[in-house]
Amino acid sequence: MIVAGDRDPYPDACDTPARKLLFDLVSIPSPSGEEEAAAERLRAFFEANGREAWIDEVGNVRAPADDSVLCTSHVDTVPGDIPVEVKPALESAYDVDPDDPTGGEALWGRGTVDATGPLVAMAVAAVETGVSFVGVVGEETSSRGARHLAAERDPPDALVNGEPSGWNGITLGYRGFLAGTYVNTSESGHTSRPEPNAIQHAIDWWAGVEDVFDPADPETPVFDQVTTKPVSFDGGLSEDGLAVEATVDVQLRVPPSRTVDEVHELAEGQLTTGSVHWKEPIPPVMESPRTPLARAFRVAIREQGGDVRLLRKTGTSDMNLFAAAWDCPMVTYGPGNSELDHAPDEHLPLAELDRAVAVLSDVCRDRR
């Protein structure tokens, strides 16, 4: 019997260990950098179920066991105050059975989808089957937890990374991520002068970057494109009034068909003046659907009555970092509709959580 918690009372619908743990963790605010309380609750869950667990030097929750599978997901969420309550799921977000007397009961709250729901599914399945588990921190910002884990730990035999894919979907591919800050300074002068200033140089550079990555075929799927996005722009006179300054924060998403180094070189090649300070990149990843791990998921999902969906995501996850460091089969999996990531109506049907736990447990038993 799995022990989840001793809160009294839980909502009536939170009547299983997985549902109770989800309610507890969603009730604890855990934005990136403030994961300590949620990490302690997760550690306590493993210890209550007879598993050794501890919090490492960067804040990850570690519960090692059978390394035939490592289940991992992130403890942190984005900020946002969504009342934690059980109420019906939105039919526009989930397939809700109109004949279900529960009304498709769902837990609403920040993190239910991204990624506390997947985190709980990983934790409960790890306890049920005796496989290894790590809850990592900082995924929504620098991925410091995953970076530390990949550098410090030997690879498992197989990895399941927790992010929302829907209980009947598995994610095999993510684009990579390259972020940087363009900076430039020019002498101040009257605005009637024809010479371009730092702001114009910044605009010209970014226009060149957008142009060089504009897909030749407009029908190219987004997953296969390099997409470019400026995320902030700051420019104007310096405090002493003697210079014009410009700073642009930019992000580029890199498909598996290209390398981060190639994209970096092409972006740098558009510079005529100024410089770009690049952050540590995250490479793209595309896993095979034919690995024993992927096959185990297909079997487990079908046994639960689902039609399997194989997904490629246009964003980035910690699986990118694990794939770059470890040579082992891996997939990303977890309950929830990813369109609700970071959204004000984030919620997860409790029945979807149950199905995900069943699928994960079957997969872990198959791989042991």
Side-chain angles (χ1 to χ4, degrees):
M1 177 180 175
I2 296 179
V3 178
D6 55 5
R7 178 193 294 268
D8 186 24
Y10 283 93
D12 289 343
C14 294
D15 56 358
T16 68
R19 294 180 178 195
K20 289 178 180 179
L21 182 60
L22 179 65
F23 185 87
D24 283 353
L25 288 174
V26 172
S27 299
I28 302 171
S30 55
S32 299
E34 301 175 25
E35 302 101 330
E36 293 88 350
E40 285 291 348
R41 177 66 188 90
L42 193 57
R43 180 190 60 78
F45 168 76
F46 279 92
E47 290 186 344
N49 286 283
R51 286 278 296 269
E52 179 188 13
W54 72 90
I55 297 174
D56 69 17
E57 56 266 41
V58 300
N60 294 333
V61 181
R62 310 282 288 270
D66 188 324
D67 244 11
S68 57
V69 179
L70 171 61
C71 290
T72 180
S73 186
H74 60 94
V75 180
D76 62 313
T77 68
V78 296
D81 185 12
I82 302 172
V84 180
E85 55 186 331
V86 175
K87 61 182 184 179
L90 294 177
E91 293 185 23
S92 59
Y94 294 99
D95 292 329
V96 177
D97 183 353
D99 297 324
D100 185 347
T102 69
E105 288 177 318
L107 185 66
W108 292 62
R110 175 58 77 222
T112 51
V113 173
D114 186 19
T116 309
L119 176 74
V120 166
M122 298 289 158
V124 173
V127 165
E128 285 190 351
T129 63
V131 301
S132 294
F133 170 89
V134 180
V136 297
V137 293
E139 190 272 347
E140 299 289 358
T141 53
S142 63
S143 287
R144 71 183 188 280
R147 292 181 189 277
H148 175 78
L149 186 68
E152 186 268 343
R153 188 191 193 281
D154 290 335
D157 295 337
L159 175 100
V160 183
N161 182 57
E163 292 283 356
S165 60
W167 77 270
N168 62 337
I170 58 174
T171 303
L172 299 171
Y174 285 96
R175 293 192 297 175
F177 183 69
L178 180 63
T181 300
Y182 171 92
V183 293
N184 201 357
T185 302
S186 61
E187 290 185 359
S188 62
H190 197 279
T191 55
S192 64
R193 292 170 56 180
E195 297 86 358
N197 61 20
I199 296 172
Q200 290 171 293
H201 285 306
I203 293 170
D204 288 345
W205 173 70
W206 188 246
V209 171
E210 291 181 322
D211 183 65
V212 77
F213 293 118
D214 188 36
D217 181 357
E219 300 300 318
T220 301
V222 174
F223 181 81
D224 297 318
Q225 297 180 32
V226 175
T227 54
T228 58
K229 190 72 63 176
V231 293
S232 71
F233 196 117
D234 184 28
L237 285 174
S238 60
E239 289 186 5
D240 60 12
L242 300 179
V244 176
E245 300 172 331
T247 303
V248 189
D249 290 321
V250 303
Q251 296 179 355
L252 298 93
R253 301 283 178 168
V254 183
S257 59
R258 308 182 82 158
T259 66
V260 170
D261 287 344
E262 175 193 1
V263 170
H264 171 267
E265 290 177 8
L266 286 170
E268 284 272 347
Q270 308 311 306
L271 286 171
T272 57
T273 182
S275 60
V276 184
H277 304 288
W278 299 102
K279 297 180 181 178
E280 188 171 358
I282 298 175
V285 58
M286 188 68 223
E287 290 288 310
S288 170
R290 299 179 180 87
T291 65
L293 180 65
R295 286 197 295 271
F297 267 101
R298 293 199 297 273
V299 170
I301 290 168
R302 288 174 184 139
E303 287 183 349
Q304 292 295 323
D307 294 324
V308 182
R309 298 179 303 124
L310 302 180
L311 307 175
R312 305 184 306 171
K313 296 288 186 73
T314 59
T316 307
S317 81
D318 281 343
M319 188 171 88
N320 298 62
L321 296 170
F322 296 134
W326 295 338
D327 182 16
C328 68
M330 57 186 69
V331 305
T332 290
Y333 176 79
N337 180 349
S338 60
E339 292 183 1
L340 299 178
D341 290 4
H342 307 182
D345 55 355
E346 188 174 2
H347 65 288
L348 178 66
L350 294 168
E352 172 134 339
L353 174 65
D354 298 340
R355 293 189 185 100
V357 170
V359 168
L360 270 170
S361 297
D362 284 351
V363 168
C364 293
R365 291 189 187 101
D366 175 83
R367 300 306 305 149
R368 288 195 65 180

